[in-house]
């Protein structure tokens, strides 16, 4: 990360740590505990300060060698992982954790902005990807979102009103009746269902519909949304003009 970008992100984080958030807004059933893996000394301190303001405790490691070999869900709730570490690559750590069976939420934080790097992180089972420099409000919001998704996805069946989804089996039902969904329609439903009531940008859906290739065009997204509405009921999928769609069970 260049000096200017580093200075910007530190300034944003320190300002948020002082003025930005109500204390305890993320804590649930006790204190949320974050594992922070970041080699930059000043940035790490600033991140810890910002997390503390929002009621989050954290444990900070600066080298890959100091990171736990296995992720224990009883020890941490989420990981903030820098890719460029002095003694290794963050993606290698992530791959090792996933091979070990850990499903703990991991948010990659990095100065790398190339599409290939972002896809490598997501394909490596990262839950989200934040590019430096970033606003602390964005990072806190993303932590909040992955924690909600993780709690919901721990269940084999997602129940959203009359709608039921079984992600591992790639099946869904409405009022107990199986839904006949194409692979893209199922991926679309799954993405909207990760956070009901939250808007999912059309660009995000375009990428999720074809995760290993080029995003589908927006016209194709609209066609799949139309087909999904026809199968689950138009009232369930709301359009937010100029932004995207949200699922309202």
């Amino acid at each position: 990360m260049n000096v200017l970008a580093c200075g910007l992100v530190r300034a944003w984080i320190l300002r948020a740590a002082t003025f930005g958030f109500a204390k305890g807004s993320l804590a649930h059933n006790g204190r949320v505990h974050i594992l922070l893996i970041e080699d930059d000394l000043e940035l790490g301190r600033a991140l810890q300060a910002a997390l503390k303001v929002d009621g989050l405790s954290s444990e900070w490691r600066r080298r890959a060698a100091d990171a736990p070999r296995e992720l224990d869900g009883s020890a941490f709730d989420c990981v903030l992982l820098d890719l460029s570490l002095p003694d290794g690559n963050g993606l290698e750590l992530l791959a090792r954790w996933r091979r070990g069976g850990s499903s703990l939420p991991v948010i990659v934080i990095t100065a790398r902005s190339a599409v290939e790097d972002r896809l490598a992180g997501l394909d490596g089972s990262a839950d989200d990807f934040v590019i430096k420099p970033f606003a602390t409000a964005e990072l806190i919001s993303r932590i909040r979102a992955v924690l909600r998704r993780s709690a919901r996805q721990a269940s084999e069946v997602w129940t959203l009103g009359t709608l039921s989804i079984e992600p591992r089996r790639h099946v869904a039902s409405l009022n107990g009746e199986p839904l006949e969904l194409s692979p893209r329609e199922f991926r679309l439903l799954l993405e909207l269902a990760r956070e009901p009531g939250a808007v999912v940008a059309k660009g995000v859906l375009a990428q999720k519909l074809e995760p290993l290739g080029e995003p589908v065009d927006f016209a194709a997204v609209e066609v799949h949304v139309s087909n999904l509405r026809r199968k689950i009921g138009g009232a369930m999928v709301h359009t937010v003009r100029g932004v995207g769609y949200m699922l309202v069970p």
Side-chain angles (χ1 to χ4, degrees), residues 8-226:
L8 281 171
V9 71
R10 287 172 188 153
W12 279 332
I13 289 171
L14 287 169
R15 181 178 180 184
T18 306
F19 302 111
F21 304 101
K23 293 183 179 180
S25 62
L26 268 180
H28 56 87
N29 297 327
R31 198 174 182 87
V32 172
H33 196 46
I34 306 293
L35 173 61
L36 170 62
I37 303 178
E38 165 62 59
D39 68 307
D40 186 277
L41 187 61
E42 291 185 42
L43 180 57
R45 287 172 176 166
L47 279 169
Q48 280 203 304
L51 292 171
K52 185 177 181 180
V53 167
D54 211 82
L56 306 179
S57 63
S58 60
E59 188 171 322
W60 178 21
R61 311 286 175 84
R62 297 183 61 198
R63 301 186 309 152
D66 297 329
R69 291 202 60 79
E70 297 181 359
L71 278 184
D72 186 353
S74 65
F76 302 103
D77 297 290
C78 181
V79 180
L80 301 180
L81 174 64
D82 187 15
L83 290 189
S84 301
L85 298 170
D87 61 337
N89 188 308
L91 288 179
E92 295 173 358
L93 277 178
L94 177 58
R96 185 179 74 201
W97 292 333
R98 296 306 189 220
R99 285 196 303 269
S102 174
S103 59
L104 199 72
V106 175
I107 299 176
V108 169
I109 51 174
T110 182
R112 302 179 189 179
S113 59
V115 172
E116 292 80 6
D117 290 323
R118 294 201 300 271
L119 289 177
L122 294 172
D123 290 344
S125 297
D127 294 85
D128 208 344
F129 203 105
V130 182
I131 305 296
K132 302 175 186 174
F134 51 84
T136 309
E138 177 189 4
L139 180 62
I140 296 295
S141 178
R142 289 175 184 268
I143 293 172
R144 183 183 295 114
V146 299
L147 288 174
R148 283 197 298 264
R149 289 200 299 265
S150 177
R152 187 181 305 114
Q153 293 166 19
S155 171
E156 294 287 338
V157 181
W158 303 0
T159 302
L160 307 164
T162 58
L163 182 65
S164 294
I165 305 171
E166 297 182 56
R168 293 185 180 179
R169 295 182 57 212
H170 278 245
V171 296
S173 62
L174 183 66
N175 293 315
E177 296 295 324
L179 290 167
E180 294 185 9
L181 302 175
S182 70
R184 281 186 172 178
E185 289 165 0
F186 185 81
R187 284 199 290 271
L188 174 62
L189 176 61
L190 198 63
E191 194 61 30
L192 291 171
R194 290 185 190 281
E195 198 168 350
V199 180
V200 183
K202 194 178 289 186
V204 171
L205 294 175
Q207 181 65 67
K208 294 295 184 179
L209 290 178
E210 198 59 55
L212 299 182
E214 290 296 317
V216 302
D217 59 44
F218 284 3
V221 173
E222 291 168 4
V223 169
H224 291 302
V225 168
S226 177

